[in-house]
Amino acid sequence: MEHLACSETKIESSSEESLVRMGGVINKQEPTTDSSLGLVVDYLSKLPQSVLISVASLMVLLVGILNHMAGPEISSTIFYLIPIVLVTWFTRRSIGFAFSILSAFTWLIADLTSGATHFNPDIPYWNGVARLSSFFILTFILSTLKKHLKARKGIFQNRFFDRHSKPKVLYELVNMEINRARRYEHAFTVVCIDLDNFKTVNDCFGHSTGDILLRLVARTLQKNIRATDTVARLGGDEFAILLPETGRNVAEVILQKVQKINLEIMRRHGWPVTLSIGVVTSPSPPSTVDETLRISDQLMYTAKNGGKNSIQYEVFGKREGPVMRAV
């Protein structure tokens, strides 16, 4: 079992203050919902689409009635824009376009039935086309902005990871290294890392602290490997590293450095977390990616079941010496 009692853990006030400061640095660019506007946006984003569409439809109907009663002398542009913005931002682009058409048509009907006279009878229709075009442009710009903001948020959440940090991409890169090793007989190394006692941090210090810990580990891994190496978060508290063109000795130097730096961070903050690491070097590569990852994963669990806080090495087809345990 990996769980430690909270009474067995300890965090000093200076470490806690350091954690708060560090969390602020890591999250300083993240949007918050503490403001009134943020709370409103958060509330609307949780509403079902059917409710938002119904509310927006009612708004268009009411604006059309008021527009008819007030006549063309009073501008009602902003009131037609509100339901368009609402559905475009909180549903999807196609619904925004549909409400653009509905709003422009409602406005046209209001103009035609208001009793207003025009020098040219085609003017209301021209105005209707112009309004529809404006609504379409607004919908397109708003939906595009929403898409980019969502993408940017996704990038922020993964900014401490390598650009190839998705497990699927890692899988493809390992497959490339297997093919390269077969052709050129160059060794490569795959590493699996598990954070021992991570659940204890979540239970005793809270999930926000656990999230900061994961980001710190990811950033430390990324900063202490080479530009050609790849870091991936496999899920939960497990990470993987691909070290191309890397033999057992070079891998040992890199991973001992990574382990030492991460352990110093954990001790500094009073977190009872250590690293169990499985390392497989393949001068003669396994037949598949799954086999490579399975071997490194088994080595990681061997290190974990052997007392944690250690590195278990293997050259494919040959187990390498004793387990390297951190002190």
Side-chain angles (χ1 to χ4, degrees):
M1 296 294 290
E2 183 173 311
H3 183 68
L4 295 176
C6 290
S7 59
E8 298 178 51
T9 65
K10 180 181 179 181
I11 183 168
E12 299 178 359
S13 59
S14 58
S15 296
E16 189 171 0
E17 292 168 2
S18 175
L19 172 62
V20 172
R21 289 195 299 271
M22 188 169 298
V25 171
I26 292 176
N27 296 299
K28 64 181 179 181
Q29 296 178 0
E30 286 187 324
T32 64
T33 57
D34 292 339
S35 65
S36 298
L37 178 60
L39 293 173
V40 171
V41 170
D42 186 58
Y43 172 76
L44 292 175
S45 65
K46 295 177 181 178
L47 291 178
Q49 285 193 6
S50 58
V51 173
L52 292 170
I53 292 173
S54 299
V55 171
S57 301
L58 181 61
M59 292 174 65
V60 172
L61 177 62
L62 291 176
V63 172
I65 294 173
L66 294 174
N67 192 15
H68 169 76
M69 296 173 60
E73 290 81 8
I74 299 178
S75 176
S76 53
T77 305
I78 186 66
F79 301 107
Y80 284 105
L81 292 178
I82 292 174
I84 295 174
V85 171
L86 179 67
V87 296
T88 300
W89 191 263
F90 294 105
T91 60
R92 56 184 184 272
R93 177 181 289 179
S94 59
I95 297 178
F97 283 139
F99 268 83
S100 295
I101 296 173
L102 177 63
S103 296
F105 181 74
T106 302
W107 199 343
L108 175 61
I109 296 301
D111 277 354
L112 294 175
T113 58
S114 65
T117 57
H118 301 279
F119 176 76
N120 188 320
D122 293 332
I123 288 179
Y125 299 99
W126 171 257
N127 289 341
V129 172
R131 292 162 185 159
L132 179 60
S133 300
S134 300
F135 292 161
F136 275 171
I137 292 173
L138 172 66
T139 299
F140 179 79
I141 292 175
L142 196 60
S143 58
T144 302
L145 175 62
K146 175 186 174 182
K147 179 181 178 181
H148 284 292
L149 287 176
K150 183 178 290 187
R152 184 174 181 180
K153 182 179 180 181
I155 292 172
F156 170 81
Q157 291 173 340
N158 295 282
R159 70 189 185 279
F160 296 123
F161 298 90
D162 184 79
R163 66 182 183 279
H164 300 305
S165 63
K166 300 299 182 184
K168 181 179 178 181
V169 179
L170 178 76
Y171 191 98
E172 294 171 354
L173 292 175
V174 173
N175 188 53
M176 290 173 57
E177 287 304 315
I178 289 177
N179 293 329
R180 197 199 313 269
R182 287 173 182 159
R183 182 171 183 179
Y184 301 108
E185 298 183 352
H186 292 174
F188 69 94
T189 297
V190 174
V191 183
C192 279
I193 301 174
D194 183 84
L195 304 183
D196 307 318
N197 306 318
F198 177 72
K199 185 177 184 300
T200 302
V201 174
N202 277 336
D203 292 345
C204 298
F205 305 125
H207 288 275
S208 60
T209 300
D211 183 60
I212 291 175
L213 187 154
L214 289 174
R215 297 184 187 201
L216 286 174
V217 171
R219 183 172 64 179
T220 302
L221 292 175
Q222 191 61 60
K223 289 177 64 176
N224 290 280
I225 60 176
R226 303 161 302 183
T228 54
D229 302 331
T230 301
V231 179
R233 182 182 175 192
L234 300 180
D237 58 353
E238 291 189 15
F239 296 84
I241 307 175
L242 171 62
L243 306 172
E245 304 283 335
T246 304
R248 197 269 197 209
N249 293 334
V250 175
E252 180 178 339
V253 172
I254 294 173
L255 293 171
Q256 286 184 355
K257 175 184 176 183
V258 164
Q259 186 184 42
K260 179 180 178 181
I261 294 174
N262 274 293
L263 288 177
E264 288 176 355
I265 292 174
M266 303 305 156
R267 289 167 181 164
R268 188 185 315 135
H269 293 290
W271 295 328
V273 172
T274 55
L275 280 68
S276 290
I277 304 174
V279 185
V280 57
T281 299
S282 303
S284 176
S287 57
T288 65
V289 176
D290 288 333
E291 186 177 5
T292 305
L293 295 176
R294 178 182 57 80
I295 294 171
S296 61
D297 192 61
Q298 287 179 344
L299 291 169
M300 180 266 290
Y301 277 105
T302 298
K304 197 172 187 69
N305 295 331
K308 305 178 182 179
N309 193 27
S310 61
I311 307 175
Q312 179 72 53
Y313 297 93
E314 181 177 326
V315 174
F316 180 65
K318 175 186 175 184
R319 190 168 293 274
E320 285 279 309
V323 171
M324 305 296 296
R325 188 174 300 280
V327 294

